């Protein structure tokens, strides 16, 4: 059996998550019969607790796209969208999603996805989101409600911006959810869900910060995309979500107690040679191969910015049941891509120091200008401020045409040599 | 004034990458300051009311990009490269402030780059209101306008009082009115108003004082009335998608020389972003905000609340302009234009409007392919269309 075909090793939490996701997609498939209203929304700035408090089911198009990418379906979907006039230059998440809709809207797990009863456009940190739902609106005869989340241009969520979001939630989003669900807004139900969110968030942060240990028991980039899966998508504010994070925490604690490293697709990383910080989303079409390249070098990612795209919990934010709408505004405003470039630079510098990393890598994806525009300046600035070496890799989210394994491997190896050289110089000095 | 004098004046400004007119304005009186804005829309009235010169930074295809390319990956549009090149070469050192509107994520992130690279310059990201509720949107935008107004007043040392802002609003109402006249003249008599000339004039208007621009624009309107050029057998087209990174002048010329009259376009759309006048009101910032949320043009950089809005847009615009066809000309890697294009094109084609599409960059230097495409398009409409 070739390495490519060998079954990847998985943590128990991954298996649990897979079952959760499968159950959610099955529930979505049954939604037309069960009459559970379906709300499409985005990961950054998602209002899962609010959506679920109305008895609605969330669908996250980016998750569908990335899952399609991981399961080898995105190439055909993208081709389908391009055949329908979508430019080769734009976001491949959008094209993958549109292509999937055009091909019959069969979700990544093979179940039929229901049509949305509402498009909840949480406009958080990504211009493309606006166009994406304008495009989806063309496909579905359903209402679209818009939540404008102001960008942190000056590095803070200004009080007036917070109030603006609260007003939109109260005057626009909640009435739209009331209409599609036929239920009145129940603030108590929302508070209960927010409490569940905060519990899960505590455990997630503990897991992410476990990477401060040496060796790190987790990979905070490749592994963390699994860890953040439930909380960034449909399971925030649910009992299943809380249970998942408790199980995950136990699992990581066991590895920590045993002094074990993370489990990469090819097996456990037993010798942590390099501790890295990564900026930017991963490539999904060759995810395991990409991860294994790092693992083969003994490189463990100890912190990443992508794992904060659906919320920056490690800097203290928790959903607050005592301020239900305000806390949703704070959550949305604080998502990683809603933070300005100086803030992103500060975050990377902080991670490099706090996690005692040897350097940082940027995986720059063609699809995402929100992440990618400015990353070369980030690279220089972080190197300048920390004195640590930075590397730059280019790929894409779900378009396999932009993943060149040889180039990436080459760059990663060169980067690792640079880290070694820096270490040797440090040792001599 | 002769037509050639006006066009030569505008051409000289267009080609001047050292912004000599801005320097000249600054040198006219001690303590003067200039504030720039990136495409597409920024409230020039606020800059003007703070006693500053509003300067449109629209990039350029006219310089070799060396430093700018070091900041951007190959899959990012050209505009920020040339803007960074201009800045890194010192050509924008005369600016005291730069406003970055929420056109797309590239311009948004450029605001953060500016904050890091030029910490002594005032930088503001302008989050345009996107909500469907006009009351909420106006309230938000008024507050944003007043923040910029306060901050620029501090930069310039001139407070934008209600009176000053009302005067600036009135002045920019006039500017937009003159621009509307120019567009009307071209739409009605495109043989008298070559788009190349109109574009140069508007481009010059981005870097000179508004009073001076209006003087030149009115003079131009005067001379074209006297123009006795004859109408040529050309196809009337609408150019859609070129609202941010600007097409090279050669592309505009090429399209018209290939047998088209451009009768509507998105070039420099920020100068006519509000369709009508901002009313004279006690609270001018509130009036600007309300006019923006209720009377802005339909554009890719704003959310379209009407589900049928995208599908109908080209039909409406083509009808208003009397256009026989639509040319979707978008900059490469331009998210707003390229993500909108399938919706706009589908709507146009459903309405029976012939369309073609191509991409350009501000530094595109070869126009033969555009000539062939536009020429074939124009011919096909003449031969087989209803035109």
């Amino acid at each position: 059996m070739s390495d490519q075909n060998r079954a990847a090793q998985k943590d128990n939490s991954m298996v649990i998550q897979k079952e959760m996701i499968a159950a959610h997609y099955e529930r979505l498939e049954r939604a037309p019969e069960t009459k559970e209203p379906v709300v499409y929304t985005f990961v950054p700035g998602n209002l899962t607790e609010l959506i679920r408090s109305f008895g609605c089911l969330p669908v996250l198009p980016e998750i569908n796209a990335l899952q399609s990418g991981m399961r080898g379906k995105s190439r055909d979907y993208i081709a389908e969208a391009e055949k329908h006039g979508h430019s080769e230059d734009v976001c491949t998440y959008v094209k993958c999603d549109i292509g999937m809709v055009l091909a019959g809207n069969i979700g990544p797990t093979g179940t039929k996805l229901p049509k949305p009863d509402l498009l909840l456009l949480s406009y958080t940190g990504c211009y493309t989101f606006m166009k994406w739902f304008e495009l989806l609106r063309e496909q579905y005869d359903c209402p679209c409600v818009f939540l404008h989340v102001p960008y942190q241009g000056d590095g803070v969520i200004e009080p007036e911006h917070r109030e603006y979001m609260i007003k939109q939630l109260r005057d626009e989003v909640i009435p739209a959810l009331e209409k599609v669900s036929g239920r009145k807004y129940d603030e108590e139900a929302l508070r209960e869900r927010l409490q569940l969110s905060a519990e899960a968030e505590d455990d997630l942060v503990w897991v992410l910060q476990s990477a401060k240990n040496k060796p790190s028991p987790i990979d905070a980039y490749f592994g963390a995309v699994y860890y953040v899966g439930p909380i960034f998508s449909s399971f925030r504010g649910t009992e299943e979500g809380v249970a998942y994070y408790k199980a995950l925490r136990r699992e990581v604690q066991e590895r920590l107690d045993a002094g074990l490293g993370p489990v990469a697709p090819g097996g456990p990383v037993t010798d942590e040679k390099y501790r890295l910080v990564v900026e930017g989303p991963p490539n999904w079409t060759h995810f395991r191969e990409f991860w294994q390249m790092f693992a083969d070098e003994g490189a463990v990612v100890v912190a990443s910015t992508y794992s904060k795209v659906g919320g920056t919990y490690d800097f203290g934010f928790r959903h607050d049941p005592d301020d239900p709408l305000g806390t949703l505004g704070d959550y949305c405003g604080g998502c990683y891509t809603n933070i300005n470039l100086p803030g992103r630079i500060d975050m990377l510098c902080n991670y490099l120091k706090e996690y005692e990393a040897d350097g940082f890598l940027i995986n720059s994806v063609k699809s995402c200008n929100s992440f990618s525009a400015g990353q070369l300046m980030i690279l220089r600035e972080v190197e300048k401020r920390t004195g640590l070496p930075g590397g730059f890799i280019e790929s894409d989210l779900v378009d396999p045409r932009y993943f060149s394994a040889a180039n990436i491997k080459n760059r990663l190896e060169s980067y690792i040599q640079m880290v070694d050289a820096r270490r040797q110089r440090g040792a001599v000095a | 004034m002769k037509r050639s004098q006006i066009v030569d004046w505008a051409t000289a400004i267009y080609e001047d990458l050292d912004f000599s007119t801005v320097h000249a304005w600054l040198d006219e009186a001690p303590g003067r300051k200039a504030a720039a804005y990136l495409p597409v829309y920024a409230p020039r009235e606020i800059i003007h009311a703070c006693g500053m010169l509003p300067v449109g930074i629209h990039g350029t295809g006219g310089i070799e990009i060396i430093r700018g390319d070091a900041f951007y990956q190959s899959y990012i549009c050209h505009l920020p490269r040339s803007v960074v090149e201009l800045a890194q070469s010192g050509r924008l050192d005369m600016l005291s402030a730069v406003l970055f509107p929420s056109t797309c994520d590239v311009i948004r992130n450029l605001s953060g780059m500016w904050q890091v690279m030029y910490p002594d310059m005032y930088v503001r990201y302008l989050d345009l209101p996107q909500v469907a509720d006009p009351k909420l949107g106006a309230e938000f935008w008024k507050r944003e306008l007043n923040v910029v107004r306060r901050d620029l007043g501090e930069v310039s040392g001139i407070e934008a009082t209600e009176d000053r802002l009302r005067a600036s609003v009135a002045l920019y109402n006039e500017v937009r009115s003159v621009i509307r006249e120019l567009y009307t003249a071209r739409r009605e008599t495109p043989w008298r108003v070559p788009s190349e000339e109109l574009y140069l004039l508007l481009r010059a208007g981005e870097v000179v004082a508004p009073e001076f621009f209006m003087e030149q624009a009115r003079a131009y309107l005067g001379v074209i009335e006297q123009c006795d050029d004859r109408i040529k057998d050309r196809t009337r087209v609408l150019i859609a998608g070129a609202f941010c990174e600007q097409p090279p002048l050669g592309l505009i010329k090429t399209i018209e020389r290939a047998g088209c009259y451009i009768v509507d376009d998105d070039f420099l759309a920020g100068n006519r972003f509000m369709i009508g006048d901002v009313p004279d009101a006690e609270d001018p910032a509130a009036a600007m905000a309300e006019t923006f949320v209720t009377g802005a043009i339909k554009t890719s950089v704003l959310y379209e609340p009407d589900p049928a809005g995208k599908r109908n847009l080209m039909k409406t615009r083509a009808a208003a302009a009397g256009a026989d066809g639509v040319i979707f000309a978008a900059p490469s890697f331009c998210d707003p234009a390229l993500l909108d294009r399938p919706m706009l094109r589908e709507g146009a084609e459903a309405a029976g409007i012939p369309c073609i599409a191509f991409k350009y960059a501000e530094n595109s230097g070869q126009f033969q392919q555009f000539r062939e495409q536009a020429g074939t398009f124009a011919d096909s409409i003449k031969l087989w269309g209803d035109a």
Side-chain angles (χ1 to χ4, degrees), chain B residues 45-357:
Chain B
E45 296 90 331
I46 301 279
I47 300 172
H48 186 266
C50 293
M52 303 172 94
L53 180 70
V55 179
I57 302 292
H58 296 281
T60 172
I63 49 172
E64 189 186 358
I65 307 293
I66 300 163
R67 286 158 283 209
D69 276 346
F71 286 83
Y72 287 105
Q73 302 90 317
S74 57
Y75 45 77
I76 288 177
C77 61
H78 200 272
L79 173 87
R81 299 164 200 278
S82 65
V83 171
V84 168
E85 188 71 31
L86 288 169
Q88 292 278 295
S89 61
R91 290 177 170 98
L92 302 180
D93 286 353
M94 74 296 188
L95 298 173
S96 301
V98 187
L99 307 179
F100 295 83
S102 56
T103 298
C104 69
D105 291 336
V106 173
I107 288 186
R108 184 197 71 183
N109 287 5
L110 186 55
S111 71
M113 291 170 64
W114 223 266
Q115 286 167 329
V116 174
M117 293 193 293
Y118 307 103
D120 296 332
M121 201 180 285
Y122 174 77
V123 172
R124 178 88 185 164
Y125 173 70
L126 294 176
D127 220 333
L128 302 179
Q130 300 283 4
V131 291
D133 176 359
K135 188 168 170 285
L136 206 52
E139 200 177 285
F140 169 79
W141 188 228
K142 178 188 159 186
R143 190 255 168 190
E144 296 300 299
L145 291 174
N146 278 331
V147 169
V148 179
R149 178 182 175 186
R150 179 201 64 202
D151 292 354
L152 288 182
E154 284 170 12
V155 172
S156 70
I158 299 171
E159 187 193 347
T161 61
E162 306 285 280
D163 283 346
R164 284 187 67 92
L165 185 53
R166 266 195 294 274
S168 297
V169 163
L171 181 67
Y172 276 90
N173 278 341
E174 268 190 81
V175 170
R176 282 187 291 270
S177 169
V178 169
I179 292 170
R180 282 198 294 272
E181 278 183 63
L182 287 163
Y183 267 75
T184 303
R186 185 185 62 170
R187 187 176 66 236
E188 291 175 356
T189 55
W191 57 95
R192 287 181 175 167
V193 188
S195 291
E196 163 196 351
E197 291 184 2
L198 173 61
Y199 180 76
L200 286 166
L201 195 53
L202 296 184
R203 191 72 189 253
E206 294 291 301
V207 292
V208 300
E211 299 86 348
F212 191 44
F213 163 71
M214 285 195 291
E215 210 176 280
Q216 300 290 317
R218 284 184 177 131
Y220 185 80
L221 282 164
V223 295
I224 58 170
E225 273 207 4
Q226 313 303 319
C227 168
D228 55 5
D229 283 359
R230 287 191 181 174
I231 186 168
K232 291 179 182 141
D233 183 25
R234 290 183 180 178
T235 299
R236 296 169 64 91
V237 297
L238 158 62
I239 308 289
F243 43 81
C244 184
E245 180 176 323
Q246 294 297 290
L249 191 61
L251 177 57
I252 299 173
K253 287 186 205 175
T254 298
I255 291 171
E256 293 216 310
R257 288 176 191 171
C260 299
Y261 280 131
I262 299 173
V263 289
D264 190 15
D265 61 57
D266 294 331
F267 310 150
L268 303 167
N271 67 19
R272 51 194 185 284
F273 209 79
M274 285 185 265
I275 298 163
D277 286 348
V278 179
D280 184 22
E282 203 169 312
D283 182 346
M288 285 178 70
E290 280 158 25
T291 308
F292 185 94
V293 298
T294 56
I297 56 170
K298 295 283 185 188
T299 161
S300 306
V301 301
L302 293 178
Y303 175 61
E304 171 55 74
D306 175 8
K310 291 289 173 197
R311 259 171 285 145
N312 291 336
L313 184 58
M314 288 299 109
K315 184 180 162 190
T316 309
R317 283 184 64 182
D324 305 314
V326 177
I327 296 179
F328 290 98
S332 293
F333 304 108
C334 174
D335 279 342
L338 292 170
L339 285 161
D340 251 5
R341 198 175 67 187
M343 294 181 277
L344 299 176
R345 185 167 185 165
E346 202 174 306
E349 288 179 342
I353 302 167
C355 302
I356 55 165

Side-chain angles (χ1 to χ4, degrees), chain A residues 85-90 121 125-128 130-131 134-135 137-138 144 146 148 150-151 153-154 158 160-161 164 167-168 172 337 340-342 344-345 364-366 369-370 372-377 380-381 392 394, chain B residues 70-73 75-76 103-106 108-109 112-113 115-117 123-125 127-131 133 136 139-140 143-144 300-307 310-311 332-333 335-336 338-343 359:
Chain A
H86 293 264
S87 170
E88 64 272 25
D89 288 357
V90 301
L121 204 180
C126 170
Y127 166 84
T128 297
M130 182 161 77
K131 296 291 123 187
E134 284 177 352
L135 283 158
R137 196 176 56 190
E138 299 284 309
C144 182
F146 195 105
H148 179 194
Y151 181 66
D154 286 339
E158 296 174 35
E160 294 84 356
H161 289 171
Y164 174 56
K167 281 183 184 169
Q168 291 178 75
E172 303 279 331
T337 47
N340 68 0
L341 258 64
R344 287 169 61 184
I345 291 166
S364 182
V365 295
K366 174 190 167 285
N369 286 340
S370 178
S372 302
Q375 280 179 326
L376 284 163
M377 193 215 62
R380 278 196 285 273
E381 195 64 22
F392 206 79
E394 290 179 276
Chain B
F71 286 83
Y72 287 105
Q73 302 90 317
Y75 45 77
I76 288 177
T103 298
C104 69
D105 291 336
V106 173
R108 184 197 71 183
N109 287 5
M113 291 170 64
Q115 286 167 329
V116 174
M117 293 193 293
V123 172
R124 178 88 185 164
Y125 173 70
D127 220 333
L128 302 179
Q130 300 283 4
V131 291
D133 176 359
L136 206 52
E139 200 177 285
F140 169 79
R143 190 255 168 190
E144 296 300 299
S300 306
V301 301
L302 293 178
Y303 175 61
E304 171 55 74
D306 175 8
K310 291 289 173 197
R311 259 171 285 145
S332 293
F333 304 108
D335 279 342
L338 292 170
L339 285 161
D340 251 5
R341 198 175 67 187
M343 294 181 277
K359 291 186 290 186

Side-chain angles (χ1 to χ4, degrees), chain A residues 140-178:
Chain A
Y140 301 113
D141 183 21
C142 77
C144 182
V145 64
F146 195 105
L147 172 67
H148 179 194
V149 176
Y151 181 66
Q152 288 193 33
D154 286 339
V156 289
I157 303 169
E158 296 174 35
E160 294 84 356
H161 289 171
R162 190 176 191 269
E163 196 52 38
Y164 174 56
M165 288 185 273
I166 292 171
K167 281 183 184 169
Q168 291 178 75
L169 289 168
R170 194 186 297 131
D171 300 346
E172 303 279 331
V173 177
I174 288 175
L177 285 164
E178 285 180 330

